[in-house]
């Protein structure tokens, strides 16, 4: 009963790339602390940073058949996002599939399962965020959905939503919110630069953020240690 | 009641080294997707790749005494494979034991427990696959079996079976199957080279593997997205 | 009801630095195999090694407010040690707070929770041992205790106790034991050098440590393998 | 920025109750093996079985304020479904909140976090599926969304979707699919009764499902053991 | 280097028993949300509730020798609290040790490790909170400290501190705080009774706790759903 | 490439039943503390106790086809032991399969994966030890080995080895050792009865086992607490 949805929308790549420049932590804050994938997804090499349109793909446990199906739906600038229909740590993905994805312009893989050939993937510079690394391969017996909305590592992701991933993790921005989030990130970043300069000069966050009164209201008190 | 078995068989090192060249993922596939150790065993540095004869060793929880016993049974080309008799994350192994193993020709350590001195082990270039890293040392009160068949990280391993380990994990090849597995790996590798070239040129796996008919039979269908 | 204790004692930094030179595994052994923090705390980059006085800080789950409070209590040579009042994997700490800590002479962070901005922290060379990496930020609603005794990753830590951390993990030395532990480490290190030379020359630990009789007493026996 | 959506739709309770009669495993199969919440959610007492309309609620880590907000939105026949915005094991819910929910006709709680007062909840017969049990209470500082779509334990759930929960776990049925799923369950159940009778009489599944040919095609072969 | 401290202080049993009547969740709140042991400690049968003086005991990994030492230090009304010096899931404790503890007036066991003979312990009605259940026994080779301060499941516990444990978990009350905590619990409990009556009558927590204004201040807003 | 081995040996059921009477913990000790399956396998109801001959079965991840194959190989007195070829938590087994197994004389299921229909299995009184409970069903696409030696939950198990399982866990006794282990258990049990009587009378283990001298030799010392 698996379905492949063709011709789904993407977000404009210029906007995607601008979002990618802000990094995961800033985007997550800028969109009200939503959209983060679970922190069990970790990059196979660091440092790394990438952004792209979500190319979504479900896989059966121990079965990577639908990844092959997904490749045909790829467009330049996509990030393949794979979620198993039940939890699985098998190595669904290796250097052959990466070679195929690169040939179709896919920028990275995000997978809530395992990958293998990580030495080759690292040498290729192909970015991967995965739950684990495992040499355990998979079969090709059961197709699953491609380019439908999925839940991956606890986040709801639709085809063409924006994926940004870096050393800190992976975040999804809803396609229709991308422009608003970009603007919010811009504001945060300008603000952060100023703060960094002041903190580097030794100014306390307690003063810079004017926290002392509020802390007192919440019951914080100071006592002297016994020496 | 612990036993040390002396004079166990090894696999010919030329064959071991040939197997090592194929890598863990290829060997695992070539022998019918068997023999993989659990993916919780990870290398302390990457990239890394090694092959050798299994020198098997059990240890009591929090007690590394039998590792000292195992060193005497080592021969050049061995890989020490250590499994605790009940789960334990202590740091059983550090740079002193590594120095001793290297002096006796041991190529690497595979341990379903913790290790320590990882900065020094990394500087020495001594390969280790472990479940964790922990500074928690061990005592020497209870000996355990050396060079008997063991279960390590879910795999059944006998002395002289072939161990291959790389960035993807660890696999065991039964001594009597080593030659057959080598031949099967050889075939897979030639086959993979051709595939890689075609995929890099943009050919789809769906076509290269002739999957479309089978996918249709299994119920996959295509629909158009609403834009 | 949160409290900040001002003017707590520190350990002399010359002594702290000497302890730091021995490394975590040696210190842990030298003080009777006590004081180790749980091995779930891992450095964000390796190799790394640091020592300092504990600047202790509790945080509410998902709330990093008291880290801002702690900065004001910092002195040169401190290591900030943070523990959540209930388990939490959020990213409590990023490059802005690190910039502020560096400006006040803090040498490192040890936190039984998550951190973010790890690419920037790595580029800054600011050492961090954490339970996880997560872009999930925190709020500032609930202050918690600063410079009180805490339990962090299973270890009891008081302000001014000595923290030593390296690739193997993190250990605490009680302020009043620092000198005795230093002396014990010194003895162990001299002893280890001699052992390393003998083991590198191929001498067996079984002989060097005179273990054969004791092993026989504990029931170890040798049998010949069937070839 | 938290939002409460008032006046969301529900599924007809007669249909909800009919679905509840089939049980989680049957529903999950009948809707194409989708909609299951992660198996880490376990009931606090067994046996237990319940169905209702999802009353969705996000909570900040360590903060149960929005559960109080959710109570006001409850209608008879609802099941409260709670998900933290970052993973948290605190005890968000106890017997006072259960008393309040019962007074407003809520049938059960599903929460991807911890609960407490489980002795009292069990004595009340109030069904709860939770990730853990913990006496660690929560604060009331940060409101979060109520009656918006959420991801709970890996499943996407909207207000008024049908929740069915029993000893095997928790499943969500999309509101618009409820009638179709009911029909599919009906068919499966009739079919299962017949199978059970035949299997109890000793008929082999191999024969009843006519599997022998297909197994042979997939390479299964029979050999005689050596006795 | 293990030590047994004899003649440590206890808390008055009348006070201990009064505290036991309040339950873990109430005590935890009453003492400022401190003192809770990690929620991985679970009772082997439910419902269950007990209070007593902490009789503290460290054990080496896989070695229960010091539990035998601890029995001699027991007094009527004690609860044995056991922590391994490194994490271990072995079954340290079974029905023989329980028989011995009961003979010396010990009321329960709290252990951050495994236990066995749980069918017999349940039949005896001997309360146990443990991290796991395991038939894996232990050796008697390495003594460890008895009646010294310990960290157990993340909490700092001294001999004679009050331990209260029930279906929700385990909490420690510092000996010197016991009377103050008792008074605070008393106040909370009276307050809770009134709340329960009002909530059962359908009054909303939003009104009873006067939360609406504060929620609005924190940005909560209400919108109408689209039907 | 899956294989079914027919006509494998069993252990005499009278001997199996006698072993079953001793319980898992006693057997584990009696055979030198070997043969225990990992403690993650837990019974779905308690108390429970059973013994039988291992009927071994591998399954692909998310695929229970070979369980259907295994039923045909069952004989009265067997216990079905199932291990996935890569880790999987799906619900491989429910009440229909249990009905079939009971019809062929199978006494219980041991599975290093998930099961479902646990309310019905409990009502039937069919004993199951599993890694988890999950309503997530499985497909029937990939057969795997039946009645070959397997590794299940870390233990090496051959067809016809004796499986004993109770509230404490699961242990395997090698077929050829069954008689020797029975005799050793007999001895331990008689010995334990006497100990239990003496401990219940208040005799200390320190005296009964004559431990005081050995403890002193290992460095245990007694000090007086400060009151």
């Amino acid at each position: 009963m698996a379905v492949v949805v063709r011709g789904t929308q993407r977000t404009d790549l210029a906007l995607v790339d601008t979002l990618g420049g802000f990094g995961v932590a800033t985007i997550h804050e800028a969109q009200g602390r939503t959209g983060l994938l679970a922190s069990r997804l970790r990059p196979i090499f660091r440092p790394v940073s990438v952004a792209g349109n979500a190319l979504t793909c479900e896989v059966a446990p121990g079965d990577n058949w639908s990844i092959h199906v997904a490749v045909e739906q790829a467009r330049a600038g996509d990030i393949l996002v794979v979620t198993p229909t039940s939890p699985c740590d098998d190595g669904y993905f290796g250097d052959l599939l990466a070679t195929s994805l690169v040939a179709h312009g896919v920028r990275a893989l995000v997978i809530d399962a395992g990958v293998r050939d990580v030495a080759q993937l690292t040498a290729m510079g192909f970015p991967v965020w995965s739950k684990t690394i495992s040499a355990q391969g998979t079969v090709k017996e059961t197709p699953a959905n491609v380019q439908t909305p999925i839940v991956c590592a606890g986040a709801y992701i639709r085809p063409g939503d924006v994926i940004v991933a870096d050393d800190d993790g992976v975040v999804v921005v809803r396609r229709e919110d991308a422009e608003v989030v970009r603007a919010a990130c811009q504001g945060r970043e300008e603000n952060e630069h100023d703060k960094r300069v002041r903190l580097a000069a030794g100014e306390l966050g307690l003063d810079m953020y004017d926290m002392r009164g509020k802390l007192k209201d919440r019951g914080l008190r100071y006592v002297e240690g016994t020496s």
Side-chain angles (χ1 to χ4, degrees), chain A:
Chain A
M1 310 195 307
V3 167
V4 182
V5 183
R6 284 194 287 225
T8 55
Q9 295 185 309
R10 261 76 176 183
T11 306
D12 177 70
L13 278 181
L15 180 52
V16 167
D17 290 341
T18 304
L19 280 166
F22 294 114
V24 173
T26 295
I27 291 171
H28 179 242
E29 293 291 343
Q31 65 182 352
R33 311 178 70 227
T34 62
L36 203 64
L37 280 68
S39 62
R40 63 177 174 263
L41 300 197
R42 295 299 304 143
I44 61 167
F45 57 82
R46 281 172 44 198
V48 64
S49 177
V50 72
N53 277 297
L55 168 63
T56 67
C57 179
E58 292 186 337
V59 287
D63 190 313
N64 74 349
W65 209 6
S66 50
I67 297 180
H68 292 270
V69 175
V71 177
E72 192 177 25
Q73 306 306 316
R75 290 195 205 159
D78 281 357
I79 291 179
L80 179 62
V81 183
V82 178
T83 193
T85 55
S86 70
C88 187
D89 284 356
D90 287 355
Y92 280 85
F93 184 94
D95 72 325
L96 282 182
L97 277 167
T99 299
S100 184
L101 287 178
V102 168
H104 289 84
V106 175
R107 294 176 171 181
L109 169 72
V110 171
I111 182 167
D112 192 16
V115 294
R116 56 184 185 171
D117 299 338
V118 293
Q120 294 89 329
L121 295 171
T122 301
M124 291 170 65
F126 186 78
V128 175
W129 285 256
S130 72
K131 184 180 161 198
T132 194
I133 293 168
S134 170
Q136 172 85 30
T138 49
V139 296
K140 290 171 186 58
E141 299 287 351
T142 310
N145 297 325
V146 171
Q147 290 286 62
T148 64
I150 60 174
V151 173
C152 180
Y156 184 68
I157 301 174
R158 303 161 313 163
D161 283 344
V162 183
I163 302 294
V164 178
D166 63 18
D167 290 24
D168 287 343
V170 185
V171 72
V172 58
V173 179
R174 294 162 63 92
R175 206 169 58 235
E176 60 271 31
D177 299 341
E179 177 50 38
V180 170
V181 172
R182 187 206 58 73
C185 287
Q186 193 77 39
R188 290 186 73 86
E189 200 159 76
E190 286 156 10
N191 188 258
E192 285 219 341
H193 175 71
D194 175 58
K195 287 183 195 167
R196 193 173 288 110
V197 170
R198 292 167 66 184
L199 292 170
E203 187 169 346
L204 287 168
L206 290 179
D207 298 318
M208 193 173 82
Y209 301 108
D210 195 19
M211 292 169 163
R212 293 185 193 272
K214 192 180 165 200
L215 281 165
K216 193 175 175 186
D217 290 349
R218 296 284 171 94
L220 186 70
R221 63 196 171 83
Y222 288 79
V223 302
E224 300 305 311
T226 57
S227 48

